Amino acid sequence: DQQVKQNSPSLSVQEGRISILNCDYTNSMFDYFLWYKKYPAEGPTFLISISSIKDKNEDGRFTVFLNKSAKHLSLHIVPSQPGDSAVYFCAASPSRVGNEKLTFGTGTRLTIIP
Amino acid sequence: NAGVTQTPKFQVLKTGQSMTLQCAQDMNHNSMYWYRQDPGMGLRLIYYSASEGTTDKGEVPNGYNVSRLNKREFSLRLESAAPSQTSVYFCASRAQGFSNQPQHFGDGTRLSIL
């Protein structure tokens, strides 16, 4: 039972345009969400997070939106740059105070076309 | 700044052999984690340690043991390797005592069981 789902295995976007990566979850106990970025042969690196008390969090070119009623979050990257080409993982935690156990989605491979 | 260091980076084993994957972090983090990543499966938690001296099972603990040697080091042992344990293994650590701190990952150990 996949509690965190990323239904798009891959996404291609032109450089300079907006990239939108989506994530759905089924567990109502999740209240803290994170996005990680992963390059080949490297470990995931933390990108941005959002707590369930918010519906939007922004950090430079990256914005995460949370729709609790739909159990859906999305990551917007604008403008997209070639260095953004990577696999993006959505992750969720049931605890606002700590994220002792993260549940990860299966990832979306983003390719930025120059 | 090394962060989370995993050794070895690559390993090939024969079925039935034993192996210990090493992980060390230099960020004075309390919590440490072991994940495995398989194609199409995202990252799945094997074991975690919330603090020195404690360990708990994650989603896929069967066939593995862990040791939290000290605050810095958290090892993962395969007592009798099986082909199903062929995977990329990631270690992560996280600061405790601060809300919503992300996990920091090492670059992984690529393990093949023949």
Side-chain angles (χ1 to χ4, degrees), chain B residues 2-48:
Chain B
V4 178
T5 302
Q6 293 184 235
T7 55
K9 294 189 183 303
F10 304 92
Q11 185 69 47
V12 178
L13 295 178
K14 294 181 179 178
T15 298
Q17 287 186 316
S18 61
M19 170 77 185
T20 298
L21 280 60
Q22 306 288 351
C23 175
Q25 51 90 10
D26 62 1
M27 296 175 283
N28 201 35
H29 287 170
N30 286 316
S31 301
M32 297 186 73
Y33 310 81
W34 276 105
Y35 293 88
R36 59 178 289 173
Q37 185 193 8
D38 302 294
M41 298 291 290
L43 282 82
R44 292 182 293 168
L45 183 65
I46 305 171
Y47 270 94
Y48 73 101

Side-chain angles (χ1 to χ4, degrees), chain A residues 37-103:
Chain A
K37 175 180 179 179
K38 185 183 181 305
Y39 292 119
E42 294 184 10
T45 56
F46 171 71
L47 195 55
I48 192 169
S49 63
I50 188 167
S51 167
S52 61
I53 62 174
K54 295 184 176 181
D55 55 17
K56 175 183 174 182
N57 188 27
E58 190 173 355
D59 184 1
R61 296 187 298 114
F62 303 92
T63 303
V64 56
F65 296 91
L66 175 62
N67 182 334
K68 282 190 66 178
S69 61
K71 294 189 175 65
H72 176 83
L73 65 155
S74 60
L75 174 68
H76 292 211
I77 305 172
V78 55
S80 299
Q81 299 175 354
D84 297 329
S85 294
V87 177
Y88 290 78
F89 289 99
C90 170
S93 166
S95 170
R96 185 174 302 158
V97 173
N99 52 3
E100 303 300 337
K101 291 186 178 182
L102 288 179
T103 300

